[in-house]
Amino acid sequence: MTNNGLENIKYKEIDGYYVIPIETGYIKPNGSLNPIIEPATKLMRDGDYLVIAETPISVSQGRLVDEAKYKPGLKAKFLAVIWSKYIWGYILGPLLKIKKRTIKNLRKLPKETSAHKEVVLQLYGWKHALKPASEAGIDLSNAPGTSVSLLPENPEEVAKSLKKKINKDVTVMIIDTDATYMKNGHYFTGLPIAIDGIEANKGVIGYVKGQLSENMGSTPLGCSRKISVEEGLKIANIAEEYQKSLDTAMPTIHSVKSVLNVDGGVVTVEDLDSITHTPAVILRKK
């Protein structure tokens, strides 16, 4: 074969790799991951990477929480309004020079944020609830109704299990777009979990320290083999660069309704299933 076996296959070249998208419908709650694994098995060669976003893994595991069932207390209301909207939106955010998009979103936080903060408080505690956004890696953007998805349970074991199903000499990695930072050669993240070599579960302290450190990009949560942090970050960031180039990219709850053309109301499973999703990509060295 010529062109590294990519005849009649959709791909993009990024930083020395061919990036081959795995396109599916919406991976539904408690649904199978076969829509990802079956095409990956057919397309992958020994030495390839399969990089999967964390949310479809979480949704397939049924790790959804309906925030409408949580009644926010005074602590959650303080975190949503005073702390996140005003202190972070108008003081700490600009002071620490966080993303302008994040500051804009913080300043227009809806009242439903109080229930979200209650969820974070109950499930992860103050360390994560004090973070102004993306607390504990909870994803608001790819879940139906008033539900949110938590991080996957045991992503390393999931990656190893999926690698066995593919039954080739490949590497399977599960990633999150939340950042890994580096300071004085030390890697860390606010997320509750990450691959070995990245200090995890730093919460708001990691987020604040991260603004004063080097942002290394997306975080590898779990991998099917022992991998260096540098290799993991490189592969995760190439996959993320491809994802950001898609018209269907939905990094925030605000972009979801725009992409799905939903004007108000809640997003349904049918809405999410109305577009083509790219929950995973294959990376092949050029």
Side-chain angles (χ1 to χ4, degrees), residues 22-94:
I22 302 294
E23 297 180 337
T24 70
Y26 178 60
I27 302 295
K28 297 177 178 61
N30 299 301
S32 170
L33 291 173
N34 285 341
I36 297 174
I37 298 307
E38 289 178 356
T41 300
K42 294 176 182 177
L43 290 168
M44 294 188 80
R45 291 178 158 192
D46 289 350
D48 287 352
Y49 296 83
L50 177 64
V51 187
I52 310 175
E54 90 290 351
T55 302
I57 303 293
S58 300
V59 173
S60 75
Q61 291 178 334
R63 287 180 60 76
L64 297 177
V65 174
D66 186 352
E67 294 192 331
K69 295 180 179 180
Y70 284 74
K71 182 179 180 180
L74 289 177
K75 295 174 184 177
K77 291 176 181 178
F78 164 80
L79 286 168
V81 181
I82 305 300
W83 179 253
S84 296
K85 187 171 185 175
Y86 291 104
I87 294 179
W88 270 102
Y90 290 92
I91 302 173
L92 294 179

Side-chain angles (χ1 to χ4, degrees), residues 3-4 6 9-23 43 48-51 234-246 278 280-286:
N3 200 23
N4 214 346
L6 296 172
I9 296 176
K10 180 178 180 181
Y11 70 91
K12 186 174 184 178
E13 297 181 27
I14 301 177
D15 198 17
Y17 285 83
Y18 298 109
V19 183
I20 307 165
I22 302 294
E23 297 180 337
L43 290 168
D48 287 352
Y49 296 83
L50 177 64
V51 187
K234 180 176 181 178
I235 297 302
N237 287 327
I238 292 172
E240 180 60 20
E241 183 176 341
Y242 180 85
Q243 292 285 0
K244 287 180 178 178
S245 72
L246 299 175
T278 308
V281 294
I282 296 167
L283 269 61
R284 179 172 300 163
K285 188 73 174 176
K286 290 179 64 175

